[in-house]
Amino acid sequence: MAQRAVWLISHEPGTPLCGTVRFSRRYPTVEKRARVFNGTSYVPIPEDGPFLKALLFELRLLDDNKDFVESRDSCSHINKTSVYGLVIGGGELWPVVAFLKNNMIYACVPLVEQTLSPHPPLISISGISQSFELLFGIQDFLFLGQKNDTELNTKLNQLPDLFLQACPFGTLLDANLQNSLDSINFASVPHPQKQPAWRVGTYKGKPQVSISITEKVKSMQYDKQDIADTWQVVGAVTCKCDLEGNMPNVTISLSLPTNGSPLQDILVHPCVTSLDSAILTSSSIDTMDDSAFSGPYKFPFTPPLESFNLCYYTSQVPVPPILGFYQMKEEEIQVKITVNLKLHESVKNNFEFCEAHIPFYNRGPITHVECKVSFGQLEVFREKSLLVWIIGQKFPKSMEISLSGTVTFGAKSQEKQPFDEICIGGTAYLKTGN
Amino acid sequence: MSSRHAPGAGGPAPRGPLVARSGVAPETSRLYLGGRGCGTMGPPSRETWAQRLGAFRASPSAFMAGPEGEDLGRDLLIELRSEKLSEQTKVSLLALSLEYPAQLWPDAAAAEAAATSLLDTLVLLPPRPSALRRPLLLAATTVLAAGDALGPTSGASRRLLPLLLGLASGRDLGRGFGPASEQRPLQATACECLRELESCKPGLLGDCLGLLRRLLGQEGPVQPLSLLLALALRNALVIRAKAKAGLQGLLVAGDAPTPGGPWNWALAEEGGAHPQPQAPSWPAAEDEECGLAVLEPSPEEARELRAAVAQLLDSSYLLTPVAQAQLLWLLGWALRGLRGQPPVLFKPQLVRLLGTAQLALLHAVLALKAAFGEALFTAQDEALLLRRLTLAAQHPALPLPAHLFYLHCLLSFPENCPLGPAGEEAAPLLLGPRLGRSLLPSLLHDPMALLARLHLLCLLCAEDEEEEKGQGWSPQRYLGELLAGLRQRADLDGGPRALAALCFQASYLVVRCLATQPLVLTPLTHGLAELYRARPALAPHFVDLLDRVGPELGEPLRAVLRQEVVSRAGRDEALRWHLKILAKVADGNAPSATLGFLRAAAAHCTDWGLQQALLRVCRTLMRAGVREGLADLLQALARQLDDPDGRDHARLYYILLAHLAGPKLGVALGPSLAAPALTSSLVAENQGFAAVLMVQEAPAPIRLSVGPRRAAGPGPVLQLQVEVLEPVFSLELRFRVQGQLYAPLDAVHVPCLRPGRPCSPLLLPLQPRLPAPTQLSVRALYATPAGLTCHAHLPPVPVNFEDLFLPFPQAPDDGDKQGFFEELWDSCLPKGAESRLWCPLGPQGLEALVSRHLEPFVVVAQPPTSYHVAIRLPPDSRLLLRLEAAQAGGVPVALRTDHWAVLPLAGDYLRGLSATG
């Protein structure tokens, strides 16, 4: 269940090493157990330098990955999880849990309490999920609400102290590092018995509960008879409960609007104390009769002090909020594009902002754009091969807008232009955001 | 905590209440004696420390090997008590000792001394709030545990353990341990320290279970106490089970060690020095289960145990999710296999846990599933768990690494009734095609997700084949389309290597799972051939794929690739890739097309690399047994190539082809014996040839022995028996006589020998120049089945005196044998020599002795008392014996010879006869 070592590495393509270790922490008492448990298959935790090199190679993040290298590119070197084996000093360091997010590589090595050859299945290693929780926890701490590099550096500098708190001996005590930071600050407040470990401190003041629901729509529209369009809503319910008492009990009940589609694939926060089995079984995968549970969806819980995601869900909407049509015709170095967007009448025509992004991949730089928009304005980002159609805060009364014109591209130079493995030739997409 | 202690030499004077410090081993006190101001620089400032720590962290091994390395540990301990440094700097110093104790204090004695010093620093802290107490506790614990110093003989351990237990139980330790406000965090920290010590030395807290339970029930901090209790409980159960002992009231044990009293190490020592797996991996845990069954708790103990577990589980909601998961792993495996402990205790937690998105919690549920199986999860529960996993494996709100882990969990799902072999990835039975279909791979997925989903799809395809072919949607067709899409992406000019690698990984995965489905393999083969046509630069991937797949895909793919390459003109830009592929796929089929391609290509092979690639193809053809046309090509290459190295090589190949028979050629061109890893290097290759074509020195697989004597014919002949341990061909045995005693011997040839198949004895005629025994040294030269020629030295073969004996041509049958003998007898003198000796007889008597050893040479016999023996000794000597008037113990022998040198040999021979029986 314990971790042998943790690293945070910033990925810096173009520099000689392609990365820098920003933070690392080793756990010698765990290492000592690893040596006993792993026996002859034991490989010690390397120093930062060799680890960085081996990890970047394995993750294909070195600049030099043009040639075929058997140990990485062989067809039998199949990786289906974010768990890697790194060849270091003649031995294989395994399991290394690692992933890249926001140009930061999160990595750690959990303790495996048995021999490593052959590799035991990951599912049977308790440390693996703890590794993920730790790394997700660090990621949330660094990037939730983070605005700039200075703030990131401040947070990175707080990590050693936080680790003393949240993971003093390699066994993770709380993946919510912000909590640990708060508990350092709250250290002097006397804790009553029966206070959850994830509810640090107490709230004093006016009781209030705020709830916000965020929904994102993912839709694929084919404009073809034989292929049905698909769309899915992904929702999150976020709560902030300012309530006095050690363990206030709150129940939030979500009801669907009239004719609303049922919520499916519900995942709840661990503070939820019990769940209706209909909530557990309602899923989008397997639309059995009993899965059409239309609420009310009750969530009894004791809230943590901070803002948290009470639950996530998916849902099917009857129609997508924006119906789109995008056509692209290729004529040598030019493409002719036509875009029509139509806002559905059931959607409130009032946005903070609304934009449509039209990227072009696997082509040379944009040299000339001749486009007409029926509404809003068009911006051209030549170096990014991107057109941004700024629609603004409202659609016009007709609810329909269109864009048409031609885009001319220069000669293709491999290095700089955006590459995409899907958008080849006439395959392209347009992304609306609001 | 009232006794005072004398500070170590060089340590600061005590200023506050102190804990008793037991004796420090004498050699450890050097840490203090080196003392302050010993360094050349004086006490380092905050900046110097920051630099020093930075340099250390950049490469600990390099720093420790450098000039400053030796003093670092000592300086660090001294500086912790310096009043000049800020607390923040001291915390960073402590952080170093938390991470690198083994580098700073490499042996147990140094670790013990360092821990003692850390504890001293702790008790010397002024009673105001300080940020150092927690890290000092953590550091002392780490240094002791990591430095192998934890144990009953360690003074630091004897101080630290009661201190930690005192803090953990919220006992008032006096003002020395900071203000009351600091007690709560210190209590939690002490619990964590104890948990770590218990992890490293299981059973350490075996005596404290009762105390911990009480604390958990009262006011203690829930999470640290729960985790500590769960671990101590688990370890105690395992240790007691291993010792085949009962629980013996462990759970209700009274008080923990009294303050200052001796610590009870009994259970820790029972557990041995090794840490116990806290959550053993599943297969490994199977054995342990049997172990736990030994524990047969009394009904009362079982009730106590249940109460303790229920107490822990009931408050588990108060723990952070990761801590809940740890608790479930610990308790799940602690109770598995233990009689009278129904897993139902866990049931109330499950529904709550199944609803969460938390990876650690779902993983812990899976661990419970693996531990208890049907006892905790009915078939419906299993189906629900699978639905939740399937859902989590693709939920848009979860990050990709979580999706991938859930996909892995699906493929390794601990089923109630698994069908396949254990340890192999398989689609769970209850997953069914509907759920499975929701996890189909698509080109839009991340490569790892695509591979994981593809694996699942392949497993579904494999099942689908067994079932009836359904109408409509076919997984095989979907798979085919997906692979085609992957190939299209790999074909992208300038696309990253990863896309090509993904395409080949997917193809490999499909072949591995669906090797028996032509419906899948045929389009795959052709698709790959098309991919090669479009992008020959992927040749290394093709070669790698061919190396790894079985014949199901390998053979057809070779054929289409060969066809693909040879049908092209030889002057393609991608010539080097074509040659690379051809070196892999060329064989005896349609050699004329291949040779045609090579002839055309030769003109365009202008640089060394291309020429070598071309020659490698020739080499492959030679190995495949192609001769016709190849000799011409090689001859042409030997003249035509620009590079002298290439020409030499072509010539060498030509000579090999012209002079070696097929099998020998195969071996000669096989992987180099000298340097198998360097087949492409010319030097290595030539070494390989040399090794193969030259005679190899080898340990002999041949055993030679001398068979029965044959006293007949014109000269002495040695009968040799040959046995072999492995097949041997064209064996030539060469004999050499030491000295000049014999004429040189001819070699003996045997065409073929096989183990277990006896061969007729080999006859080796000897031509002695003097009638004397000798030894023949033997060398064997032979060919192995692999075609190598080997040479071996065999143990020498002895030629004994009696091996030279030959009978005289017989006197006429009816003639005067006595007269014949007397004539010989008289003729020996005066030139020769005469002697008399006593030949001892064994129990068998004279008659038996003669018939066994001398029968062929007897001229006159009057059994059982008198024999006249005449022996011819080549080249031209004789030995005559009269054995007469035998007595009980022996027979007097008169002997004459015409060669005086024979006498001592004959004497030895006769005296030895009775010994040989």
Side-chain angles (χ1 to χ4, degrees):
Chain A
M1 284 182 276
Q3 308 301 315
R4 293 165 62 189
V6 188
W7 291 267
L8 270 186
I9 295 166
S10 55
H11 178 219
E12 295 154 3
T15 61
L17 293 174
C18 294
T20 313
V21 175
R22 302 294 294 271
F23 169 77
S24 72
R25 177 79 160 90
R26 287 162 174 73
Y27 292 100
T29 50
V30 183
E31 194 61 18
K32 192 167 165 269
R33 300 208 288 277
R35 190 175 294 127
V36 176
F37 287 130
N38 299 162
T40 49
S41 57
Y42 168 75
V43 175
I45 293 289
E47 292 187 359
D48 289 354
F51 179 81
L52 173 75
K53 206 171 146 199
L55 183 67
L56 291 178
F57 172 79
E58 185 63 33
L59 294 177
R60 299 176 178 276
L61 294 176
L62 291 176
D63 288 341
D64 168 36
N65 61 359
K66 295 271 179 291
D67 289 331
F68 177 85
V69 181
E70 191 179 317
S71 64
R72 178 193 62 201
D73 299 322
S74 167
C75 61
S76 59
H77 185 72
I78 293 179
N79 227 342
K80 296 181 290 181
T81 56
S82 313
V83 179
Y84 303 86
L86 304 186
V87 178
I88 293 175
E92 190 201 27
L93 183 69
W94 184 90
V96 180
V97 178
F99 57 84
L100 172 75
K101 186 90 190 182
N102 301 327
N103 267 338
M104 190 68 91
I105 303 164
Y106 303 81
C108 62
V109 182
L111 171 72
V112 181
E113 299 179 310
Q114 66 166 94
T115 177
L116 299 177
S117 70
H119 292 172
L122 296 179
I123 190 176
S124 70
I125 304 171
S126 57
I128 292 281
S129 53
Q130 298 274 329
S131 298
F132 279 118
E133 295 284 6
L134 173 61
L135 299 181
F136 292 152
I138 302 174
Q139 187 198 330
D140 284 349
F141 173 70
L142 292 183
F143 285 97
L144 277 188
Q146 179 249 333
K147 291 174 192 75
N148 52 37
D149 273 2
T150 330
E151 211 170 304
L152 177 65
N153 284 334
T154 314
K155 289 193 166 183
L156 280 170
N157 288 336
Q158 286 172 332
L159 280 180
D161 283 347
L162 281 185
F163 266 69
L164 274 187
Q165 197 75 30
C167 195
F169 288 111
T171 309
L172 186 59
L173 305 180
D174 192 352
N176 185 338
L177 296 186
Q178 191 61 47
N179 245 354
S180 303
L181 190 66
D182 296 342
S183 80
I184 297 177
N185 304 334
F186 274 109
S188 54
V189 180
H191 295 238
Q193 162 69 353
K194 285 292 176 193
Q195 174 141 21
W198 35 266
R199 189 178 157 88
V200 183
T202 44
Y203 173 79
K204 289 265 182 286
K206 190 180 152 203
Q208 59 179 10
V209 174
S210 39
I211 299 172
S212 68
I213 298 177
T214 319
E215 290 194 337
K216 279 185 190 171
V217 181
K218 270 188 176 176
S219 170
M220 285 204 260
Q221 299 166 19
Y222 297 90
D223 195 30
K224 275 189 180 172
Q225 289 292 325
D226 53 339
I227 308 178
D229 295 350
T230 64
W231 50 87
Q232 187 181 38
V233 176
V234 185
V237 180
T238 313
C239 290
K240 174 85 169 77
C241 302
D242 296 328
L243 299 169
E244 292 192 347
N246 296 328
M247 286 189 67
N249 284 322
V250 181
T251 299
I252 286 181
S253 179
L254 301 177
S255 308
L256 295 174
T258 335
N259 295 332
S261 314
L263 304 187
Q264 297 170 322
D265 305 341
I266 298 168
L267 298 176
V268 300
H269 191 269
C271 72
V272 174
T273 47
S274 66
L275 272 183
D276 194 324
S277 65
I279 292 183
L280 270 186
T281 50
S282 109
S283 96
S284 61
I285 305 160
D286 195 359
T287 41
M288 281 153 51
D289 295 339
D290 61 348
S291 72
F293 175 63
S294 51
Y297 306 90
K298 283 191 178 164
F299 302 102
F301 59 94
T302 296
L305 288 176
E306 73 276 6
S307 164
F308 69 103
N309 288 319
L310 176 67
C311 71
Y312 301 99
Y313 59 84
T314 67
S315 179
Q316 304 286 325
V317 281
V319 280
I322 295 178
L323 213 61
F325 171 86
Y326 180 20
Q327 193 179 50
M328 184 160 111
K329 277 187 187 160
E330 208 166 359
E331 292 169 355
E332 294 180 5
I333 54 165
Q334 275 191 344
V335 292
K336 267 191 170 169
I337 55 171
T338 314
V339 181
N340 296 326
L341 298 177
K342 186 182 174 192
L343 184 70
H344 193 264
E345 57 210 6
S346 65
V347 182
K348 200 173 159 193
N349 189 4
N350 186 12
F351 307 102
E352 275 180 35
F353 72 94
C354 183
E355 288 178 353
H357 287 227
I358 310 167
F360 297 95
Y361 294 103
N362 309 321
R363 300 175 188 278
I366 296 179
T367 52
H368 186 68
V369 178
E370 213 175 294
C371 279
K372 217 170 68 186
V373 289
S374 70
F375 188 79
Q377 14 171 328
L378 193 68
E379 279 188 18
V380 181
F381 296 87
R382 284 171 201 271
E383 68 284 5
K384 290 185 188 162
S385 300
L386 174 71
L387 301 185
V388 176
W389 181 10
I390 300 166
I391 299 160
Q393 293 179 325
K394 261 180 191 284
F395 272 61
K397 282 215 169 128
S398 64
M399 301 283 193
E400 272 192 77
I401 55 174
S402 64
L403 175 154
S404 62
T406 56
V407 184
T408 316
F409 298 94
K412 196 170 160 187
S413 69
Q414 301 240 335
E415 303 300 318
K416 296 197 178 152
Q417 302 311 316
F419 170 85
D420 189 273
E421 61 241 34
I422 307 283
C423 298
I424 307 162
T427 309
Y429 70 88
L430 169 145
K431 189 166 83 176
T432 61
N434 41 53
Chain B
M1 301 294 159
S2 57
S3 61
R4 291 179 166 268
H5 82 118
R15 281 174 298 183
L18 300 171
V19 243
R21 197 185 78 183
S22 318
V24 177
E27 69 272 19
T28 62
S29 53
R30 68 185 155 80
L31 199 100
Y32 297 95
L33 295 174
R36 183 177 288 175
C38 176
T40 48
M41 306 176 291
S45 68
R46 195 172 63 86
E47 290 74 26
T48 340
W49 267 115
Q51 277 174 11
R52 224 172 154 190
L53 296 187
F56 178 86
R57 281 184 179 279
S59 174
S61 58
F63 186 92
M64 292 312 283
E68 284 195 80
E70 204 182 332
D71 295 338
L72 185 65
R74 192 198 58 196
D75 291 354
L76 191 150
L77 291 174
I78 295 169
E79 287 297 317
L80 284 176
R81 299 189 199 168
S82 152
E83 284 171 9
K84 287 182 185 155
L85 288 186
S86 67
E87 281 203 332
Q88 195 48 44
T89 312
K90 289 184 183 173
V91 170
S92 66
L93 293 185
L94 284 171
L96 202 68
S97 57
L98 281 172
E99 284 195 66
Y100 298 99
Q103 283 82 352
L104 295 171
W105 304 291
D107 53 49
E112 164 80 17
T116 308
S117 168
L118 288 168
L119 285 172
D120 288 344
T121 309
L122 178 68
V123 295
L124 289 174
L125 284 177
R128 61 170 184 269
S130 163
L132 288 180
R133 287 194 180 86
R134 284 194 69 242
L136 274 169
L137 281 178
L138 298 176
T141 305
T142 303
V143 170
L144 270 185
D148 270 331
L150 184 67
T153 55
S154 141
S157 307
R158 290 203 299 267
R159 284 173 68 189
L160 180 66
L161 284 168
L163 172 65
L164 290 175
L165 197 64
L167 284 169
S169 46
R171 218 177 284 151
D172 182 14
L173 295 179
R175 286 193 327 120
F177 277 93
S181 63
E182 226 177 296
Q183 293 309 307
R184 191 81 181 182
L186 280 181
Q187 189 176 6
T189 304
C191 288
E192 293 310 328
C193 291
L194 285 173
R195 177 149 74 115
E196 196 59 20
L197 293 174
E198 169 76 28
S199 300
C200 292
K201 217 173 208 48
L204 192 66
L205 295 172
D207 236 13
C208 311
L209 292 176
L211 171 73
L212 292 174
R213 285 184 64 193
R214 263 206 315 284
L215 287 172
L216 188 59
Q218 295 162 6
E219 77 288 0
V222 181
Q223 176 163 316
L225 282 171
S226 293
L227 292 174
L228 181 58
L229 175 59
L231 179 64
L233 181 65
R234 197 210 117 83
N235 283 345
L237 289 178
V238 172
I239 293 171
R240 277 294 153 90
K242 276 199 178 145
K244 301 202 184 329
L247 287 173
Q248 296 165 356
L250 268 181
L251 291 165
V252 284
D255 245 333
T258 46
W263 190 270
N264 185 354
W265 292 86
L267 196 63
E269 274 163 9
E270 220 174 281
H274 292 308
Q276 298 284 344
Q278 297 177 11
S281 294
W282 303 341
E286 304 288 331
D287 309 333
E288 207 176 282
E289 180 188 354
C290 313
L292 276 178
V294 176
L295 273 184
E296 284 186 32
S298 66
E300 193 185 335
E301 282 172 339
R303 202 167 45 245
E304 279 301 323
L305 187 58
R306 247 195 322 273
V309 172
Q311 185 186 8
L312 286 169
L313 286 175
D314 285 347
S315 54
S316 69
Y317 172 73
L318 301 175
L319 274 49
T320 61
V322 285
Q324 284 182 46
Q326 291 163 20
L327 187 79
L328 291 174
W329 277 88
L330 278 172
L331 292 181
W333 289 98
L335 295 195
R336 184 191 145 115
L338 196 60
R339 283 186 207 168
Q341 298 303 322
V344 171
L345 285 172
F346 292 94
K347 202 108 191 182
Q349 307 296 328
L350 289 180
V351 177
R352 178 172 73 78
L353 299 175
L354 276 179
T356 70
Q358 207 83 29
L359 200 126
L361 289 177
L362 264 188
H363 193 197
V365 171
L366 286 168
L368 288 178
K369 174 83 178 62
F372 297 112
E374 234 167 341
L376 188 56
F377 289 81
T378 60
Q380 285 88 345
D381 296 338
E382 185 174 279
L384 176 65
L385 184 52
L386 276 170
R387 278 168 75 100
R388 293 302 293 181
L389 266 184
T390 315
L391 183 159
Q394 57 188 317
H395 201 287
L398 298 180
L400 174 71
H403 286 171
L404 296 174
F405 184 68
Y406 289 134
L407 281 168
H408 166 82
C409 291
L410 274 176
L411 287 174
S412 315
F413 187 78
E415 294 184 83
N416 283 349
C417 318
L419 288 180
E424 237 173 62
E425 292 191 317
L429 199 65
L430 288 177
L431 186 67
R434 286 179 68 128
L435 286 181
R437 220 191 282 183
S438 73
L439 289 171
L440 288 178
S442 110
L443 291 178
L444 295 170
H445 284 125
D446 164 273
M448 288 193 286
L450 186 141
L451 287 172
R453 286 166 171 244
L454 178 67
H455 194 174
L456 193 63
L457 174 63
C458 288
L459 293 169
L460 290 176
C461 282
E463 275 173 21
D464 189 63
E465 189 199 31
E466 291 155 20
E467 287 165 18
E468 256 179 71
K469 289 270 173 296
Q471 296 297 312
W473 189 81
S474 138
Q476 280 85 358
R477 199 166 57 230
Y478 186 90
L479 182 67
E481 284 168 9
L482 179 80
L483 289 173
L486 284 171
R487 286 194 296 270
Q488 200 189 350
R489 283 193 344 193
D491 180 14
L492 264 186
D493 200 22
R497 172 79 54 194
L499 281 184
L502 177 64
C503 169
F504 283 88
Q505 284 166 351
S507 306
Y508 172 74
L509 193 61
V510 168
V511 177
R512 218 180 52 184
C513 296
L514 303 171
T516 53
Q517 294 202 10
L519 217 63
V520 174
L521 290 195
T522 314
L524 178 62
T525 313
H526 289 105
L528 285 171
E530 267 172 42
L531 176 61
Y532 181 74
R533 189 181 308 146
R535 205 170 165 207
L538 297 180
H541 290 275
F542 279 94
V543 171
D544 173 62
L545 183 69
L546 285 170
D547 276 338
R548 283 163 215 277
V549 293
E552 298 86 0
L553 178 75
E555 282 178 8
L557 186 59
R558 270 167 208 274
V560 293
L561 284 178
R562 189 179 57 240
Q563 189 54 40
E564 187 58 46
V565 170
V566 300
S567 61
R568 287 164 177 256
R571 57 176 179 283
D572 203 314
E573 276 176 12
L575 186 56
R576 73 186 182 110
W577 302 124
H578 296 332
L579 291 172
K580 191 171 176 71
I581 287 285
L582 218 45
K584 184 77 205 165
V585 302
D587 55 20
N589 293 321
S592 57
T594 311
L595 288 169
F597 173 83
L598 292 178
R599 256 192 300 275
H604 306 281
C605 289
T606 44
D607 67 20
W608 182 86
L610 280 176
Q611 292 177 11
Q612 292 303 314
L614 182 74
L615 287 162
R616 259 196 295 280
V617 183
C618 294
R619 192 184 154 117
T620 309
L621 288 173
M622 283 162 78
R623 287 192 69 189
V626 175
R627 285 179 172 259
E628 208 174 319
L630 183 58
D632 295 343
L633 174 67
L634 286 170
Q635 257 189 325
L637 292 178
R639 283 195 306 271
Q640 176 190 339
L641 292 181
D642 302 339
D643 190 87
D645 186 39
R647 286 199 301 272
D648 285 351
H649 230 118
R651 199 168 298 119
L652 173 65
Y653 284 169
Y654 173 72
I655 292 169
L656 289 174
L657 185 69
H659 289 82
L660 293 182
K664 184 93 182 171
L665 191 62
V667 176
L669 295 170
S672 157
L673 292 173
L678 298 171
T679 42
S680 61
S681 151
L682 194 61
V683 175
E685 189 178 62
N686 282 347
Q687 278 175 353
F689 285 146
V692 168
L693 296 180
M694 276 167 35
V695 176
Q696 316 268 317
E697 191 75 37
I702 303 161
R703 228 179 275 143
L704 265 191
S705 55
V706 181
R709 242 184 306 147
R710 272 167 41 117
V717 173
L718 218 50
Q719 275 206 70
L720 296 174
Q721 306 279 4
V722 195
E723 282 175 282
V724 289
L725 305 173
E726 57 187 63
V728 158
F729 303 106
S730 308
L731 172 66
E732 178 177 304
L733 292 169
R734 294 180 183 173
F735 302 91
R736 203 170 66 83
V737 191
Q738 286 158 4
Q740 301 274 320
L741 291 172
Y742 289 46
L745 301 175
D746 290 336
V748 178
H749 295 271
V750 188
C752 167
L753 284 168
R754 290 183 186 281
R757 223 181 279 175
C759 93
S760 53
L762 308 178
L763 301 181
L764 181 68
L766 302 171
Q767 292 176 300
R769 289 180 177 141
L770 280 174
T774 186
Q775 278 202 329
L776 304 177
S777 64
V778 192
R779 287 181 300 149
L781 205 64
Y782 57 93
T784 66
L788 293 176
T789 305
C790 294
H791 168 256
H793 282 279
L794 303 183
V797 173
V799 180
N800 299 320
F801 181 56
E802 62 268 31
D803 291 331
L804 304 179
F805 289 4
L806 290 171
F808 273 88
Q810 269 304 337
D813 284 345
D814 55 337
D816 182 6
K817 287 183 180 171
Q818 186 64 37
F820 174 70
F821 180 80
E822 293 298 341
E823 204 176 302
L824 286 172
W825 182 261
D826 292 339
S827 70
C828 291
L829 292 177
K831 249 182 15 188
E834 179 171 11
S835 178
R836 278 180 175 277
L837 54 83
W838 178 256
C839 173
L841 287 175
Q844 71 271 50
L846 181 62
E847 198 174 359
L849 181 111
V850 170
S851 75
R852 175 168 301 178
H853 298 287
L854 298 169
E855 179 75 49
F857 317 109
V858 173
V859 182
V860 185
Q862 290 171 343
T865 54
S866 160
Y867 298 90
H868 293 174
V869 177
I871 298 169
R872 196 156 62 86
L873 287 170
D876 54 0
S877 307
R878 60 188 67 157
L879 173 67
L880 303 168
L881 310 173
R882 284 176 192 269
L883 298 97
E884 282 169 329
Q887 294 162 25
V891 59
V893 182
L895 60 115
R896 274 188 185 183
T897 171
D898 57 353
H899 194 306
W900 61 270
V902 169
L903 269 188
L905 297 170
D908 288 345
Y909 170 66
L910 287 171
R911 276 190 290 268
L913 280 183
S914 69
T916 59

